[in-house]
Amino acid sequence: MANHGYVHKLKAGKPDNPILFVLHGTGGDENQFFAFGAGLLPEATIVSPRGDVSEVGAARFFRRTGEGVYDMPDLARATQKMADFVKTLAAEHEASEIIGLGYSNGANILANVLIEEGVFDKAVLMHPLIPFRPKDNPALAARKMLITAGERDPICPAPLTQALVDYFKAQKAAVEVEWHSGGHDIRQNEIAAIGRFLKT
């Protein structure tokens, strides 16, 4: 199987069904959300790529120079690579809809693909951190998004999550938000919200 630039796991669905890309957090791999994605959308094609950057042995989708400090040229490289990967596989599998789900670093590359390229019709961003003001993108109007976050997340502070929510709302995207009272962990209310969101 061609990897189209990323080592990845794939479960083919039927043509004219959605394709769901699941993107792991730092130190995860293509197994982290693969079964979760398949359980959420059993009829869909599920694709789970492994990040192509190693940070002290931990897989990531783009480089950073410190906690919350992004290597912007590498983010640009990774964003273009991910957008091409998604578009290629969506076309190959004749997908009716392109959906993304990412956690932490996976949410960040997913968010930046949305900001720069659009591509995804629906997206679930779990604990994303975009530490800069993105450029405006009118193509985001009416795209459906769910952002989940922890009110006491030390990795992704709540005000930065809210700034990203506000940015997407300003682009006229259809944004839902699900908070929990904890940190960078994934809680049951987030999982329930994701299930509801993907059924709409």
Side-chain angles (χ1 to χ4, degrees):
M1 178 178 68
N3 71 16
H4 298 306
Y6 290 98
V7 173
H8 64 278
K9 286 183 78 166
L10 185 146
K11 180 182 83 71
K14 296 177 181 146
D16 297 322
N17 271 289
I19 189 166
L20 171 64
F21 291 84
V22 291
L23 307 175
H24 65 77
T26 299
D29 64 16
E30 64 274 22
N31 298 301
Q32 187 174 17
F33 292 109
F34 189 74
F36 179 61
L40 287 168
L41 292 175
E43 302 295 312
T45 293
I46 311 296
V47 185
S48 183
R50 183 194 307 165
D52 61 347
V53 168
S54 176
E55 181 181 274
V56 200
R60 285 174 55 84
F61 290 102
F62 59 89
R63 299 183 195 286
R64 60 182 171 181
T65 56
E67 189 67 60
V69 184
Y70 293 173
D71 179 329
M72 297 304 284
D74 196 60
L75 177 61
R77 171 205 66 84
T79 298
Q80 189 61 59
K81 180 177 176 178
M82 182 62 73
D84 291 345
F85 175 76
V86 168
K87 288 187 273 196
T88 297
L89 279 158
E92 274 186 14
H93 291 273
E94 299 174 35
S96 60
E97 188 176 30
I98 302 175
I99 305 171
L101 180 149
Y103 167 64
S104 193
N105 181 244
N108 299 339
I109 190 67
L110 175 54
N112 212 54
V113 170
L114 280 163
I115 290 160
E116 295 291 336
E117 303 277 338
V119 180
F120 292 94
D121 301 299
K122 261 188 200 169
V124 176
L125 304 170
M126 305 164 72
H127 301 258
L129 170 63
I130 298 295
F132 54 87
R133 171 62 168 85
K135 68 176 191 183
D136 290 326
N137 183 354
L140 291 170
R143 307 239 174 177
K144 293 181 178 175
M145 296 176 205
L146 171 66
I147 296 178
T148 72
E151 292 168 0
R152 295 176 179 80
D153 191 333
I155 308 280
C156 178
L160 286 177
T161 301
Q162 190 57 52
L164 186 62
V165 170
D166 294 344
Y167 161 77
F168 281 127
K169 284 185 174 175
Q171 310 310 307
K172 300 187 168 51
V175 187
E176 297 175 34
V177 189
E178 183 73 24
W179 292 93
H180 67 64
S181 59
H184 205 58
D185 53 316
I186 299 169
R187 297 274 177 101
Q188 193 56 46
N189 67 304
E190 285 178 80
I191 292 169
I194 291 165
R196 289 193 302 272
F197 174 76
L198 291 179
K199 286 182 175 69
T200 58

